[in-house]
Amino acid sequence: MLSQVPLGECVPPNTRHAVSVSLPLWDDNVDYEKGEPRVLDRMSGGYPRFFIAKVIQALAERLRERFAMPNEAPMLFPSQACAKRCAAFIYDQAPKQRDAALPTYTLPKPGQVRIVEYAVEPINRRAAALDAMSTVLDEPVVIYCVLFPEDLFSLAKQYWQHTGNGISARLAEYCMHIERVNEQCELDASPRYRAGARRGTTSEAVSPVVSAGADLEADTYLEERFGRNVDAKYAAAMKSVLRRRIAGALTEDEQRHGAQVERGVAGLSPDNVYLTATGMSAVFYAHQALLQMRLGKSVCFGFSYTDTLKILKKFGPGAYFLGNGEGDDYTELERILEQHTQAGDPILAIFTECPSNPLLKTSDLPRLRALADRHGAALVVDETIGSFANIDALSWADVVVSSLTKVFSGDSNVMGGSIVLNPTCALCTSLSSAMAAVFEDLMWCEDAIFLERNSRDFMRRVAEINRNALAVAELLQHSAKV
C-alpha cells in the first residue's frame, strides 16, 4: 500500500508543476475550504485555478514592486484581452457583490483598475544564449499585469478562477528565468562588478541565476531524453498533433498500437478543434462565442461543475439553473424555452455535462437536442468525466468542451482544455465566425509539449481505467455494506 502523501505536498510526490495537492484527511478538506492557516501555510502547490502557483506569485511580486502604487495588488494574464476583461469584471462585479451593510471593500473609481504591459526578453546576446526558448519565440513574451486596490483581490481572483485564463506556471518560470539572466548580465557589465572580479571576488547574485538556468536545462534534458518530450521548437506542430488526436485523426503509430477513436460525426477535422489553457477556459470561450452571435440567457441543466454556472451567471445576461437534471427539470426547461421564445428573447444555449461532475448524472442528450432545435438554442456538452474515448456527445451537441487536464493528460503536471464544433450542426458556420472574433490561443508552448507527450497513451489508459472502474462497481454492487 502506498504511504500517505503529507498534507500540502504535491500529488504525485516530486511532480514539477503538479496540479494536484494532498489533503489526506476530511478535516484537511474542510479547513482548506475555510481558509485555515494550518492547511494553507503548508501547501506547496495546488490546483492552478484555485491556488496561484508560487512561481506566478513571485513574478507578480516583482511587477508589483516595479509598477504598483501603495496598497495595489497584481494579477497576471497572457493577453491584453484577458487583462481588459479582468478589469471590466472587477468594475462590473464590485457593486453587485458588495454587502452594503458590511462592506469589505470600497467601490473602485475610474482609473483605479489599470493594466501594465510588460515585455520579457533577453537584454543582450549573452542573455539570449541562456534563453532556452530562443528557437521557439519570434518576438518577446508580453504579459499583462492588472493592478487594483488590494481589497478587491477576491474579485480579481474570481475572474482568474472562473475563466482559467491566468498565465501558466511554466510561462511564469520562463519569465523569471529571463529576469534573473538579465539581472546577472547587467551586473556583469557594471564597472564595480568587473573591478571586483579582477580582484578575485565573487558576487552572491551569481548563484541563483546559474542555479535557475542549470535546473531548467537539466529538466529539459531529462524530459527530452527520458520523458519523450519533443524539443520546444516543435510546439506549434504539437498543437496540431493534439487537435488531430482530439478530432480522432490518429497517426499511423497510434493506430498501430491499437488506439481507436470514432467521434461519430461526418466531416470532423482538426480545424473544428480549439485548444485552451484550461478546461474552464474552454467553457468560457464557448460561452463568449455564443454571446458574440447574440445576447441571451442560458440554461445550466443538471448539477454542473461550479465555475460553469458562475461563467453563465456573471458574464452576460444571466442563466437559469436546473440542478436536478432529471424528471420535472425537463418540464421546467420546456416552460423556460417556450416562455422566452414567445417573448421574442430566445434562450441562447443549454449547457450540460455528460456525465456531471461530481454527481455522475447523464442528461438525455437526444431530448435536449430536440428542445434546442425547436427553440433555436445551442447545446453545449462538457464531456470531461466521460471523455470522447467512452461517449459520443458530439453527435448531439453543437459544441463539446472538455478539460484535458484530467484523463487526457493523466500525469497531473499540465493544464489544458478543448472546444470542438460539430461541423454538421446548423450553427457551425456562425460559431466558427464567432470563435474567430473572440478566441485566443493562450496555451504556452511548453504546456503544449507536455500535454502532447502525456496524451500519447490516452486510449490505452482509458481502457485500463474502464476495467478498474467496472471491478470497483462490481465489488460495491455485491457488498453487503453498500
Side-chain angles (χ1 to χ4, degrees), residues 385-400:
I385 299 298
S387 86
F388 63 80
N390 285 325
I391 62 173
D392 176 20
L394 191 60
S395 291
W396 304 102
D398 297 287
V399 184
V400 167

Side-chain angles (χ1 to χ4, degrees), residues 158-469:
Q158 286 178 34
Y159 177 83
W160 173 285
Q161 177 178 321
H162 297 337
T163 67
N165 282 337
I167 70 169
S168 84
R170 286 188 178 87
L171 171 53
E173 184 177 63
Y174 168 77
C175 293
M176 287 293 287
H177 172 61
I178 296 302
E179 287 280 290
R180 290 172 179 143
V181 166
N182 286 343
E183 288 172 359
Q184 185 60 50
C185 288
E186 288 179 335
L187 182 62
D188 292 348
S190 67
R192 181 179 177 183
Y193 176 81
R194 289 201 303 270
R198 284 195 296 271
R199 291 193 299 270
T201 60
T202 59
S203 169
E204 294 181 359
V206 175
S207 177
V209 181
V210 174
S211 174
D215 287 347
L216 285 174
E217 184 177 345
D219 285 342
T220 299
Y221 172 78
L222 288 173
E223 291 295 350
E224 291 181 1
R225 178 68 176 84
F226 301 107
R228 300 176 295 127
N229 276 16
V230 300
D231 190 287
K233 65 184 178 183
Y234 299 114
M238 293 305 99
K239 289 185 180 182
S240 295
V241 170
L242 287 167
R243 284 191 288 268
R244 290 202 308 272
R245 194 167 290 162
I246 293 165
L250 303 178
T251 65
E252 290 183 6
D253 182 63
E254 289 168 322
Q255 292 170 342
R256 205 164 39 242
H257 285 81
Q260 295 182 359
V261 178
E262 178 54 62
R263 298 305 299 254
V265 173
L268 180 65
S269 78
D271 292 338
N272 301 118
V273 179
Y274 301 80
L275 297 176
T276 59
T278 64
M280 287 315 304
S281 182
V283 176
F284 177 78
Y285 277 116
H287 186 231
Q288 288 291 300
L290 289 164
L291 289 174
Q292 179 76 13
M293 293 164 59
R294 66 174 174 86
L295 290 179
K297 284 189 173 183
S298 293
V299 176
C300 185
F301 191 82
F303 198 92
S304 68
Y305 184 68
T306 180
D307 284 308
T308 296
L309 183 59
K310 298 296 186 183
I311 285 174
L312 300 183
K313 284 187 171 182
K314 295 180 181 180
F315 297 89
Y320 294 96
F321 177 48
L322 302 179
N324 289 325
E326 59 186 7
D328 292 342
D329 275 3
Y330 286 99
T331 302
E332 178 63 9
L333 175 61
E334 290 189 52
R335 187 195 67 78
I336 291 170
L337 290 167
E338 185 63 35
Q339 174 187 315
H340 276 262
T341 299
Q342 292 295 328
D345 178 28
I347 288 295
L348 178 67
I350 302 168
F351 283 74
T352 192
E353 295 178 348
C354 186
S356 64
N357 178 14
L359 298 182
L360 300 181
K361 289 185 177 181
T362 299
S363 302
D364 186 340
L365 295 185
R367 187 172 181 178
L368 293 182
R369 176 74 271 164
L371 289 171
D373 287 341
R374 190 184 312 161
H375 294 279
L379 178 58
V380 182
V381 179
D382 187 332
E383 64 172 14
T384 298
I385 299 298
S387 86
F388 63 80
N390 285 325
I391 62 173
D392 176 20
L394 191 60
S395 291
W396 304 102
D398 297 287
V399 184
V400 167
V401 295
S402 187
S403 171
L404 305 179
T405 308
K406 316 301 190 301
V407 179
F408 187 82
S409 168
D411 266 19
S412 189
N413 64 0
V414 67
M415 300 283 279
S418 65
I419 302 169
V420 182
L421 305 185
N422 185 341
T424 67
C425 75
L427 296 177
C428 186
T429 300
S430 298
L431 275 168
S432 297
S433 298
M435 285 293 290
V438 303
F439 177 74
E440 294 181 283
D441 178 1
L442 301 178
M443 183 177 285
W444 174 241
C445 54
E446 292 176 288
D447 291 328
I449 294 293
F450 274 84
L451 189 57
E452 188 283 322
R453 188 279 302 274
N454 295 352
S455 62
R456 288 175 200 169
D457 63 348
F458 165 63
M459 297 300 293
R460 181 195 61 76
R461 286 187 287 105
V462 169
E464 186 171 345
I465 290 168
N466 290 345
R467 288 191 294 270
N468 291 337

